[in-house]
Amino acid sequence: MTSVMIVDDELFIVELYRDILQLRGYKVLTTAFDGEEAVRKYRSANDKPDIIIMDHRMPIMNGVEATKQIIGMNPKQKIVFVSADVLIEKEAREAGAMEFLPKPFRMDDLIEKMERLST
Amino acid sequence: MSKRDLRAAVGTDGAVFMDVLSHDLLNSSQAILSYLELIITNPSTDPKNRRYAERAASQTRVCALLLEDAKRTMIEHEKMTPLSSVKLQEALRSSKARTASMFPGKRIKYNVRLPRENVWVTSNDILESIITNILVNLVQLDSSDEPEINVRIRERRAGRMAYWSVEFEDCHSFMSQATAQGLVELSEEKNRSVMVKTVGFLFAKQMTEAQGGRFDIKRISGTPERPCLKYTVMLRKARPP
């Protein structure tokens, strides 16, 4: 079962991803509400997630910075970057995100990208 | 604070407010769309309710597009994105795909006439938004489940400038003669009253002109009940990058 870490500062978005990903057979390993929490939880986790879903605009540390730090710890970590800021795509990919989805997206598109990354 | 300073402050605050507003509304749209998708894909949803949910999802996607337009307009007002060579067919392909994803219940048919394989224009990533706004509005104005849009790309000249134009011909939209005339006047800047799809067409016009191009809407023919209109985006020719 593919494991996932969800990083987003909006509780209703985290709940949304968790509801739908669990319905689709994914294991939601952990969640974080800002980039710093994500980096901290990732560093201390014995069981690393297969895929991280990363938002951009969050308090304390944004998604691009968190992506850079996580990729710094593990260059092979798969990160799907999701954001309402279309213009951030280039920066997110340069930071190490393998996929980018502009909000609002279809959950099928997210699942398709995650399936591609898990194979 | 002088009037000029006040205007600058309001302008900046307005841009910041629009930025955070659109961000929060796009997040909310994400949640609405995703839960609607759950209803649509649930096998126990009856066909009538599925159709209602599909329509709600399409309109939420249109709201998201208009929000993006507003946000983009503010960004471009502050600092224009640099122009480069953009492949017109690629922008058209992306816009068609996005429009199709916004209306999964409709089968949109395009009749595209192209003069050559590669057409390059002076633009940037806004071109896809310009074309998407036009296509989305045409699909929304057509009550059919199988809208048909004629697209023609051709070379044009205006004075010493060489352009490529993309023309969208539509004779199926549900609009009155007065509304059709209003849209023509909108493109000629004679009328800015609120009528069907003003925002989307206004966005297309403003962004096209910001790129040194031209946008117009012309009446071509049609019956009294169904006027035919041609929406034209003209952009300066560019060399392949």
Side-chain angles (χ1 to χ4, degrees), chain A residues 4 13 44 46 52 67 72 78 86 93 111 113 116:
Chain A
V4 185
I13 291 283
S44 61
N46 293 323
I52 299 174
T67 298
K78 292 160 182 171
V86 188
R93 288 189 186 276
I111 302 289
K113 287 188 187 296
R116 203 183 308 151

Side-chain angles (χ1 to χ4, degrees), chain A residues 57 85 103-107, chain B residues 19 27 30 34 37 71:
Chain A
R57 276 197 205 187
D85 295 297
K103 285 181 184 171
F105 52 82
R106 291 168 63 243
M107 287 310 285
Chain B
D19 186 48
N27 264 334
Q30 177 68 66
S34 301
E37 276 176 33
K71 188 175 173 182

Side-chain angles (χ1 to χ4, degrees), chain B residues 130-144:
Chain B
I130 292 170
I131 297 174
T132 304
N133 270 276
I134 295 169
L135 295 181
V136 164
N137 286 345
L138 295 184
V139 171
Q140 274 199 295
L141 286 166
D142 193 328
S143 58
S144 157

Side-chain angles (χ1 to χ4, degrees), chain A residues 8-104:
Chain A
D8 199 303
D9 61 329
E10 291 275 17
L11 176 63
F12 71 89
I13 291 283
V14 171
E15 286 174 342
L16 164 77
Y17 294 157
R18 194 170 49 203
D19 286 349
I20 294 177
L21 292 175
Q22 284 174 349
L23 270 174
R24 298 291 192 102
Y26 287 84
K27 181 184 176 187
V28 178
L29 211 57
T30 185
T31 58
F33 293 90
D34 63 68
E36 193 184 72
E37 187 187 359
V39 172
R40 188 166 18 91
K41 281 187 168 174
Y42 186 85
R43 185 180 290 122
S44 61
N46 293 323
D47 193 9
K48 307 287 187 207
D50 296 314
I51 298 171
I52 299 174
I53 299 173
M54 180 74 76
D55 183 34
H56 177 55
R57 276 197 205 187
M58 293 178 289
I60 309 172
M61 185 190 289
N62 67 35
V64 167
E65 189 52 39
T67 298
K68 279 181 194 166
Q69 294 202 18
I70 289 171
I71 292 292
M73 284 183 255
N74 176 11
K76 288 185 175 171
Q77 178 60 53
K78 292 160 182 171
I79 299 177
V80 179
F81 210 91
V82 293
S83 178
D85 295 297
V86 188
L87 299 176
I88 207 72
E89 177 173 359
K90 190 167 174 268
E91 244 183 280
R93 288 189 186 276
E94 282 170 359
M98 286 184 175
E99 297 285 358
F100 180 90
L101 269 174
K103 285 181 184 171

Side-chain angles (χ1 to χ4, degrees), chain B residues 169-211:
Chain B
E169 285 182 13
D170 169 54
C171 296
H172 306 286
S173 286
F174 186 81
M175 67 170 80
S176 66
Q177 293 291 337
T179 304
Q181 185 57 31
L183 283 178
V184 171
E185 289 175 0
L186 169 81
S187 81
E188 292 169 351
E189 295 184 9
K190 290 177 187 164
N191 186 348
R192 286 211 171 170
S193 57
V194 178
M195 57 198 138
V196 290
K197 309 305 161 205
T198 307
V199 175
F201 290 130
L202 202 54
F203 175 84
K205 177 178 166 60
Q206 287 178 344
M207 290 299 130
T208 304
E209 289 175 354
Q211 302 191 332

Side-chain angles (χ1 to χ4, degrees), chain B residues 6-239:
Chain B
L6 179 66
R7 194 175 299 134
V10 170
T12 308
D13 287 349
V16 171
F17 181 77
M18 195 60 230
D19 186 48
V20 291
L21 172 76
S22 61
H23 184 266
D24 283 3
L25 289 176
L26 286 171
N27 264 334
S28 295
S29 303
Q30 177 68 66
I32 296 167
L33 277 171
S34 301
Y35 287 116
L36 282 170
E37 276 176 33
L38 278 183
I39 297 169
I40 292 165
T41 54
N42 189 332
S44 64
T45 304
D46 75 71
K48 199 174 175 185
N49 286 336
R50 178 170 293 118
R51 192 167 167 78
Y52 292 154
E54 278 173 352
R55 287 188 173 193
S58 289
Q59 291 310 315
T60 308
R61 290 190 186 99
V62 171
C63 285
L65 175 70
L66 294 178
L67 269 170
E68 274 175 36
D69 289 352
K71 188 175 173 182
R72 197 63 197 257
T73 303
M74 296 300 272
I75 292 170
E76 293 300 313
H77 184 70
E78 295 282 305
K79 188 184 175 193
M80 196 179 156
T81 312
L83 299 174
S84 60
S85 294
V86 177
K87 194 173 177 182
L88 192 52
Q89 287 98 325
E90 194 54 40
L92 185 60
R93 189 196 58 76
S94 304
S95 300
K96 281 162 62 181
R98 185 162 182 206
T99 306
S101 75
M102 290 171 76
F103 300 95
K106 296 200 176 202
R107 280 193 299 169
I108 310 162
K109 187 183 172 198
Y110 295 96
N111 305 310
V112 183
R113 281 195 281 172
L114 278 168
R116 65 170 80 153
E117 273 302 302
N118 297 314
V119 171
W120 296 91
V121 292
T122 305
S123 187
N124 53 35
D125 63 331
I126 297 174
L127 180 57
E128 189 203 316
S129 299
I130 292 170
I131 297 174
T132 304
N133 270 276
I134 295 169
L135 295 181
V136 164
N137 286 345
L138 295 184
V139 171
Q140 274 199 295
L141 286 166
D142 193 328
S143 58
S144 157
D145 281 340
E146 296 182 4
E148 195 172 333
I149 300 169
N150 296 321
V151 186
R152 185 178 182 189
I153 297 174
R154 58 181 173 146
E155 288 183 273
R156 301 273 289 271
R157 288 201 77 84
R160 297 175 67 181
M161 295 294 291
Y163 295 85
W164 282 109
S165 77
V166 200
E167 299 166 359
F168 303 87
E169 285 182 13
D170 169 54
C171 296
H172 306 286
S173 286
F174 186 81
M175 67 170 80
S176 66
Q177 293 291 337
T179 304
Q181 185 57 31
L183 283 178
V184 171
E185 289 175 0
L186 169 81
S187 81
E188 292 169 351
E189 295 184 9
K190 290 177 187 164
N191 186 348
R192 286 211 171 170
S193 57
V194 178
M195 57 198 138
V196 290
K197 309 305 161 205
T198 307
V199 175
F201 290 130
L202 202 54
F203 175 84
K205 177 178 166 60
Q206 287 178 344
M207 290 299 130
T208 304
E209 289 175 354
Q211 302 191 332
R214 296 178 181 195
F215 175 84
D216 65 48
I217 304 173
K218 293 259 187 277
R219 186 189 289 260
I220 43 177
S221 62
T223 62
E225 298 78 32
R226 291 280 167 108
C228 292
L229 293 178
K230 183 165 76 177
Y231 305 78
T232 306
V233 175
M234 273 172 66
L235 289 164
R236 285 174 291 155
K237 276 189 175 181
R239 291 183 177 171

